[in-house]
């Protein structure tokens, strides 16, 4: 991040470069709800892809390691998946990459799609790329509407917390993966509807805030 800052914005601060600013709390609340709500439809989509294209993935190894780990190791793994990983990814994809592209007057939709595509590509399992790309679009919307990486960070944390909670509280055999269980289609549909509602509310809030920042003269222009 420091090197990217030196190259692309040497006169800026790291916080401004990555968009680390505290937005209106409603953005964070909407993002957190969307993170929880998006987990079931994403899991359902992943399940369909895994049925269509079965193969052994590195996630199976992760599940086995997590289930066999002790309490301290589970806490460390959970912190990495829920906090450290999302923080690092948001600072890179919706921070150091997203912000400079917007400042170059790249169309916002193109920036959102591009950052989501990069985000999906770094997750090497092709079956996971489709749901991760869709989550990336949602994260990009949060970043653009709020002008901050914090709502996306909240969404990312909540989204990642669902499978970890499933591993923690599932009473399945040690080597079983609860995320491979079929997701109730009605639960997935309800989560999708709630996610879309949060996305629409976030976009409208961002549009209203943008109009308010411009003022009546600029809006007329």
């Amino acid at each position: 991040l420091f090197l990217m800052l030196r190259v692309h914005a040497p006169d800026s601060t790291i916080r401004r470069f990555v968009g680390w600013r505290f937005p209106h709390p409603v953005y964070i609340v909407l993002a957190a709800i969307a993170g929880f709500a998006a987990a079931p439809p994403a899991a359902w989509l992943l399940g369909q892809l895994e049925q269509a294209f079965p193969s052994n993935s590195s996630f199976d190894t992760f599940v086995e390691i997590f289930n066999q780990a002790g309490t301290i190791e589970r806490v460390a793994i959970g912190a990495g998946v829920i906090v450290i990983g999302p923080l690092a990814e948001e600072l890179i994809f919706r921070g150091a990459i997203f912000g400079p592209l917007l400042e170059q007057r790249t169309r916002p939709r193109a920036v959102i799609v591009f950052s989501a595509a990069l985000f999906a590509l770094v997750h090497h399992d092709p079956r996971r790329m489709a749901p991760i790309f869709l989550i990336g679009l949602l994260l990009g919307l949060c970043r653009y509407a709020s002008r901050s990486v914090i709502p996306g960070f909240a969404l990312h944390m909540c989204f990642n917390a669902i499978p970890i909670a499933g591993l923690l509280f599932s009473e399945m055999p040690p080597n079983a993966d609860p995320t491979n269980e079929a997701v109730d289609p009605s639960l997935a549909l309800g989560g999708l509807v709630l996610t879309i509602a949060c996305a629409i509310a976030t976009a409208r809030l961002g549009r209203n805030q943008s109009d308010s920042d411009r003022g009546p003269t600029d809006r007329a222009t």
Side-chain angles (χ1 to χ4, degrees):
L1 285 174
F2 179 77
L3 291 176
M4 293 175 75
L5 171 67
R6 292 300 92 195
V7 172
H8 296 287
D11 298 326
S12 179
T13 64
I14 289 182
R15 288 185 61 181
R16 184 178 182 278
F17 182 61
V18 300
W20 188 268
R21 57 182 294 273
F22 287 94
H24 194 287
V26 174
Y27 285 114
I28 300 176
V29 173
L30 288 172
I33 295 173
F36 287 126
W44 180 86
L45 176 58
L46 177 60
Q48 301 304 306
L49 292 172
E50 287 179 337
Q51 288 182 8
F53 308 99
S55 71
N56 295 325
S57 69
S58 60
F59 191 73
D60 299 328
T61 304
F62 169 80
V63 171
E64 183 177 353
I65 292 173
F66 186 89
N67 287 334
Q68 295 177 356
T71 301
I72 296 178
E73 288 85 356
R74 286 189 174 193
V75 171
I77 293 172
V81 173
I82 298 174
V83 180
I84 300 174
L87 177 61
E89 290 178 338
E90 291 312 303
L91 290 177
I92 293 294
F93 293 102
R94 259 67 59 177
I97 293 175
F98 200 100
L101 286 176
L102 279 183
E103 291 184 358
Q104 293 175 7
R105 299 189 180 279
T106 306
R107 297 184 63 179
R109 291 181 182 178
V111 177
I112 292 173
V113 171
F114 179 72
S115 62
L118 287 181
F119 181 54
L121 288 173
V122 300
H123 298 78
H124 60 278
D125 186 346
R127 299 171 303 174
R128 296 180 180 272
M129 288 183 182
I132 290 174
F133 173 74
L134 296 176
I135 295 299
L137 294 178
L138 188 58
L139 291 166
L141 172 63
C142 290
R143 169 66 174 89
Y144 176 69
S146 67
R147 306 176 189 174
S148 168
V149 297
I150 294 178
F153 176 43
L155 189 156
H156 205 151
M157 286 179 61
C158 294
F159 181 82
N160 281 13
I162 298 298
I164 294 297
L167 292 174
L168 282 173
F169 300 111
S170 173
E171 297 182 356
M172 298 177 66
N175 291 331
D177 178 4
T179 61
N180 283 337
E181 289 189 308
V183 177
D184 186 345
S186 61
L187 178 62
L189 179 60
L192 178 61
V193 171
L194 182 55
T195 301
I196 293 174
C198 290
I200 293 174
T202 298
R204 288 184 176 178
L205 181 61
R207 190 178 301 114
N208 291 339
Q209 181 180 354
S210 178
D211 290 342
S212 176
D213 290 344
R214 284 199 298 266
T217 303
D218 293 333
R219 286 198 298 271
T221 304

